[in-house]
Amino acid sequence: MTGRTLAELGLDEAPRDRPLTYPGAWPADSGLLDGDRLLPLGRLVHDEDRVPVLAVGSNASPAQLQHKMAESGVTGAIPMVRARVRGLDVGVSAHVSRLGYVSASPVASPSAVRELFVLWLDGRQLGVIDASEGVPLPNGNFRRAWLPAPAVRATLADGTTLPGVHAYVNRHGVLHDGTGAPRRHPGERALLTELLAESAELRELFGGTPEQFCARARADAALCGRGTRLFAERKWAVASGLERYVRAQQTGSPGSGSSFVPPSM
């Protein structure tokens, strides 16, 4: 099928390769990611041995997803379903990623409505994404949580409202906007420009421009750790409001039965 490769669709650039493009290019509509192609999607709900995982950052970038799966040797198509999500907004993770950017993280926001993507992942795919977010690690940056409706309502194009979705909640919290409210992620270049303008300490660590920030962060995992600790020490981080949904769970297969129910992990 011609015209459906990620390159042809302009979706082949991964934020892991160009951090300032974070969260990357998202599809215009729902589709089936199959290798380096994004194919038409026949149905929106996929509850046979798959779980719905909400993507608020680069997990909605087909190129980033493709890279994660290929790096782990995991094959198989991934349904990417566009959804209108109420009760949740896109905040800023209170940690510096070793990939060179400051990533997005979900925050509770009862009045917010965002257009996001739900990924329907099988057990192996879920394990890959969990690992990429640090879920299996005791000090990993994210924990996976089940966000139930009606607190978080994900409504698909056919009117289906999911009973809940999984999402990755940052264990460091999220950055606030100076008033104590979570800061919204405006895109990486704009975010880093704002953060560096606000903090001489960040400029000392990472340089004075977004380009310098990304280059230094990608080259030095210890420096990323120092930046993350700076967020905490200066009390620039607040709770996301989703911590109560985080519970201890192991990675791996989502279990049997309908994936609308959070798996027993």
Side-chain angles (χ1 to χ4, degrees), residues 23-167:
W26 293 9
D29 206 346
S30 300
L32 184 69
L33 180 62
D34 187 6
D36 69 344
R37 300 182 301 165
L38 189 67
L39 306 175
L41 192 60
R43 57 194 175 100
L44 303 182
V45 177
H46 301 259
D47 60 343
E48 300 87 4
D49 298 319
R50 290 182 180 266
V51 296
V53 178
L54 190 65
V56 302
S58 65
N59 283 334
S61 161
Q64 192 94 324
L65 275 180
Q66 180 195 27
H67 191 285
K68 289 184 179 185
M69 295 301 157
E71 191 174 48
S72 298
V74 171
T75 58
I78 299 177
M80 302 181 66
V81 179
R82 194 172 178 89
R84 180 175 291 267
V85 181
R86 181 180 296 275
L88 181 146
D89 211 338
V90 180
V92 178
S93 298
H95 84 279
V96 180
S97 170
R98 288 180 293 175
L99 292 176
Y101 46 68
V102 178
S103 64
S105 188
V107 298
S109 181
S111 62
V113 179
R114 297 296 299 264
E115 293 287 333
L116 301 170
F117 276 87
V118 173
L119 312 177
W120 290 91
L121 303 177
D122 65 23
R124 295 184 70 203
Q125 294 163 349
L126 181 65
V128 170
I129 303 302
D130 275 358
S132 75
E133 304 296 346
V135 173
L137 303 175
N139 296 313
N141 291 313
F142 289 92
R143 295 290 180 263
R144 177 158 50 85
W146 174 257
L147 309 182
V152 175
R153 296 177 62 88
T155 303
L156 311 183
D158 64 359
T160 299
T161 296
L162 302 182
V165 290
H166 290 274

